[in-house]
């Protein structure tokens, strides 16, 4: 029983890396820059805090929400694997499957949701819950949100540092990682 209360460094690293690939804040820098140009300003603190709250709520209440609408975690995970698959294909091929709308409150929609804490992230959280201890997932979420906050605060500097080709390479590399995650999710939940 006490093993569930122990922080496992391997689990924390795995969860952090998986969420890092799913959230893909580095790959989203071009989108964040575009949102900033259209809105004039992005509230980094608000976007990070809303994303953190959404992810933690879904981690603890996601299964209950699915039960209310009559879905099991495996079905949601399989559906999510398709979403992750298409996100990965977007990143690898540079094709847009999902349309992005830019309302006035860009810090919340579409930045916090669905860009940072979107369907892929939520699906991944539920899937991680079946493989990793909750406290390790929470640490992974917090570490990612710290990194997201850092990126949002320094997006212009990062764009200059990485350059257009650097951003494209990172986006494609994380696309391949996401593709592998999507296939693993699908295989695990289809038995």
């Amino acid at each position: 029983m006490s093993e569930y209360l122990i922080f496992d460094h391997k689990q924390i690293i795995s969860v952090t890396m998986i969420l890092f690939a799913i959230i893909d804040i580095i790959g989203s820098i071009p989108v964040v820059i575009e949102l900033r140009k259209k809105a004039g300003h992005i509230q980094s603190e608000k976007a990070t805090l809303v994303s953190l709250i959404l992810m933690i709520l879904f981690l603890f209440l996601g299964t209950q929400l699915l039960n209310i609408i009559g879905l099991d975690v495996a079905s949601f995970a399989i559906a999510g694997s398709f979403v992750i698959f298409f996100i990965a294909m977007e990143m690898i091929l540079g094709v847009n499957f999902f349309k992005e709308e830019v309302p006035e409150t860009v810090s919340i929609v579409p930045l916090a949701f669905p860009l940072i804490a979107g369907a892929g992230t939520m699906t991944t959280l539920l899937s991680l819950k079946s493989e990793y201890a909750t406290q390790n997932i929470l640490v992974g979420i917090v570490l990612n949100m710290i990194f997201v906050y850092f990126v949002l605060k320094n997006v212009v500097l990062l764009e200059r540092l990485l350059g257009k080709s650097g951003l494209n390479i990172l986006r494609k590399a994380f696309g391949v990682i996401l593709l592998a995650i999507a296939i693993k999710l699908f295989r695990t939940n289809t038995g």
Side-chain angles (χ1 to χ4, degrees), residues 39-58:
H41 174 70
I42 285 178
Q43 296 170 308
S44 308
E45 295 84 3
K46 186 188 275 187
T48 307
L49 187 63
V50 169
S51 300
L52 177 70
I53 291 167
L54 284 172
M55 291 167 77
I56 291 172
L57 281 174
F58 202 79

Side-chain angles (χ1 to χ4, degrees), residues 89-165:
M89 295 309 287
E90 274 189 348
M91 292 167 69
I92 295 167
L93 302 175
V95 178
N96 280 338
F97 293 110
F98 301 103
K99 302 219 186 274
E100 292 147 9
E101 295 175 20
V102 187
E104 298 300 313
T105 56
V106 295
S107 297
I108 306 300
V109 180
L111 189 55
F113 180 84
L115 196 61
I116 298 168
T121 306
M122 301 310 191
T123 304
T124 303
L125 286 173
L126 286 185
S127 302
L128 290 173
K129 202 171 174 182
S130 64
E131 294 181 47
Y132 300 97
T134 304
Q135 71 273 12
N136 297 323
I137 299 172
L138 283 171
V139 173
I141 290 171
V142 170
L143 289 174
N144 270 281
M145 289 303 98
I146 291 168
F147 188 74
V148 164
Y149 175 74
F150 171 79
V151 169
L152 292 178
K153 271 294 195 199
N154 299 290
V155 75
V156 176
L157 174 70
L158 288 168
E159 181 190 26
R160 278 190 302 226
L161 271 170
L162 295 170
K164 206 166 197 171
S165 60

